[in-house]
Amino acid sequence: MKHAISEPALTGAQRAMLAGRHGDGAALAMRVVVRLARALGADRLITVDSAHVDGCLFHGQVGIDLVERLISGGARVAVPTTLNVGSLDLLHPGVVRGDAGERADARRLMDGYVALGAEPTWTCAPYQLTERPAYGRHVAWAESNAIVFANSVLGARTDRYGDFADICAAVTGFAPRVGLHLDENRAGQDLFDCSGVPAGTFAADVAWAALGHLVGRRSGTRVPVLTGLPGDADEDRLKALGAAAASAGGVALFHAVGLTPEAPDTATAFRGRAAERRFEVTAADLRAACGELTTAPDGRLDAISVGTPHFSAAEFRALAALLAGGPPFDAGIEFWISTSRAVLAEAERVGDAAICRRAGARILVDTCTYIAPVLRASARVVMTNSAKWAWYAPTNLGIDVVFASLAECVLSARAGRVVRDPALWAAS
């Protein structure tokens, strides 16, 4: 069946930009935004306060072609714009392996986005930066974990923007008025009742990532509402939950009742509607989710990778506390921390980075270990505390993964093999 396609209504200023009165680059960006709006059925465009661009990760020549065409057309970002991870660690040259030509192309792409006026933040966790979107404000963010965090934890409003749409929204300052920008699409759909999980279980960081994985697998791209969670979850636990849900299922918005801004109570989270589906979550479900994220048996271990999404200052502090005064890592284990240059600067200032380095950890910025060739080529079994990393790395890197808590990562790094913490699930 054919659907009638209607054009979004444009203001005079938007029509002027489309007609090229702000330059060829801005006109190109506006054509992309308008055609996206038409494809999505938007009645008009909305103004966005900021943008977060994921297109700076090098995937091929087409990315360079777009950004350089925007530059040659005189385009500049119209709103504050942060940049997601690129393909290189610009502070530590040589850490990322690979073909010299490809590295040159990756740098050319990253430089292009900076030339457009975007901030060289190079982080998949822009919400850890000083400037964050305010509650209820519209933004155009790309990168799945950033999208779900902006919508769910900050209460800002962004739809799912991908490569090219993100920079075009940044250049124009507009986005289609559709999806999660609209009240009606932010209502909860699925109820996940976690009240049956023993209270102490959520004291373990790994439980939040496991819950996110479970929610993503069951809810897909729907809007889940979670009840029965302890009321003291910090942003890193909500980050782990959202990143896992976005990776395993495509969740872009969740409501954690009593924790997130649009869910002071269950009725508000559902906006007065009834739950379309209900799930009773148990500790056994969370254990099963952890098992699904592990592809290797206990025993051999080659490397450990933490910080996907990027390690926060609080996570650096927690890791440093686990490491301070203890033995160094086994010489056969690579231990990588992926973080942003902004967070690293803070970790350097307070001394946490030095503690981690003394134990044997290596720190990667501007990119991530599962998208750039950083791990040594011989690494076959890698431990991580990130459900997102565990979900993607077997396919991206062709390795086996052990999903574990941060404390288990430290124990294993020191032992040179997989070590489990018998107390981890004691509360269950």
Side-chain angles (χ1 to χ4, degrees):
M1 187 175 79
K2 292 184 178 180
H3 298 273
I5 296 176
S6 58
E7 295 291 339
L10 302 181
T11 65
Q14 292 163 349
R15 288 196 299 273
M17 188 179 292
L18 188 63
R21 293 181 191 167
H22 299 277
D24 291 343
L28 168 61
M30 184 56 104
R31 286 200 298 276
V32 172
V33 171
V34 169
R35 290 180 185 182
L36 180 63
R38 185 172 67 167
L40 296 173
D43 61 347
R44 58 187 169 88
L45 308 182
I46 55 170
T47 300
V48 294
D49 286 356
S50 68
H52 180 67
V53 169
D54 189 34
C56 44
L57 179 67
F58 180 69
H59 291 296
Q61 183 62 36
V62 65
I64 295 176
D65 290 345
L66 174 68
V67 73
E68 294 190 346
R69 185 169 171 188
L70 289 170
I71 293 169
S72 65
R76 296 277 295 178
V77 296
V79 294
T81 301
T82 49
L83 291 173
N84 207 55
V85 293
S87 301
L88 300 172
D89 180 339
L90 301 181
L91 293 186
H92 308 105
V95 169
V96 176
R97 304 188 313 276
D99 173 78
E102 190 164 302
R103 288 204 306 274
D105 285 341
R107 181 61 191 263
R108 181 175 161 191
L109 181 65
M110 294 169 79
D111 288 346
Y113 277 100
V114 176
L116 287 171
E119 299 176 57
T121 49
W122 313 125
T123 180
C124 60
Y127 44 83
Q128 294 172 352
L129 301 172
T130 304
E131 299 295 328
R132 312 200 301 180
Y135 175 83
R137 303 300 298 180
H138 294 281
V139 298
W141 277 23
E143 158 58 35
S144 63
N145 100 84
I147 291 168
V148 69
F149 195 96
N151 278 317
S152 310
V153 183
L154 301 183
R157 297 186 173 207
T158 181
D159 209 36
R160 300 171 179 88
Y161 294 101
D163 291 8
F164 304 165
D166 49 15
I167 186 59
C168 291
V171 167
T172 61
F174 300 110
R177 197 182 83 94
V178 292
L180 293 173
H181 290 292
L182 303 177
D183 282 346
E184 58 267 31
N185 295 328
R186 299 180 69 85
Q189 295 171 290
D190 295 338
L191 176 65
F192 288 80
D193 181 1
C194 302
S195 59
V197 178
T201 298
F202 286 111
D205 54 355
V206 71
W208 294 85
L211 176 61
H213 181 75
L214 172 73
V215 168
R217 295 283 278 168
R218 293 184 179 176
S219 255
T221 58
R222 295 161 65 85
V223 179
V225 174
L226 296 89
T227 61
L229 294 171
D232 58 352
D234 60 20
E235 287 197 357
D236 284 322
R237 289 178 168 175
L238 296 175
K239 174 185 80 169
L241 192 165
S247 302
V251 170
L253 165 65
F254 68 85
H255 299 300
V257 174
L259 288 169
T260 56
E262 294 177 58
D265 53 61
T266 305
T268 303
F270 282 102
R271 297 185 185 270
R273 304 174 190 170
E276 296 170 15
R277 303 188 303 178
R278 301 177 66 93
F279 302 97
E280 307 293 329
V281 180
T282 67
D285 292 330
L286 300 184
R287 284 175 181 259
C290 288
E292 194 170 82
L293 290 165
T294 296
T295 64
D298 289 357
R300 173 186 169 179
L301 187 63
D302 300 313
I304 294 170
S305 178
V306 299
T308 306
H310 274 164
F311 230 37
S312 69
E315 288 172 317
F316 256 114
R317 204 167 307 128
L319 180 58
L322 289 169
L323 297 176
F329 297 152
D330 181 90
I333 296 291
E334 280 188 305
F335 192 113
W336 285 97
I337 302 169
S338 297
T339 191
S340 69
R341 51 178 62 199
V343 167
L344 176 59
E346 174 62 11
E348 299 277 20
R349 187 186 69 80
V350 300
D352 292 335
I355 293 172
C356 295
R357 287 197 184 96
R358 279 198 296 274
R362 301 184 68 182
I363 299 173
L364 182 74
V365 300
D366 301 340
T367 187
C368 180
T369 51
Y370 87 92
I371 57 173
V374 174
L375 299 175
R376 64 184 175 218
S378 61
R380 307 309 320 150
V381 181
V382 183
M383 176 178 277
T384 182
N385 69 335
S386 164
K388 177 174 182 174
W389 204 97
W391 188 242
Y392 286 138
T395 301
N396 281 17
L397 302 177
I399 59 169
D400 281 310
V401 173
V402 179
F403 180 62
S405 70
L406 184 63
E408 288 175 324
C409 289
V410 170
L411 291 170
S412 301
R414 286 170 171 161
R417 57 181 172 77
V418 175
V419 176
R420 293 296 189 178
D421 177 5
L424 185 62
W425 293 97
S428 301

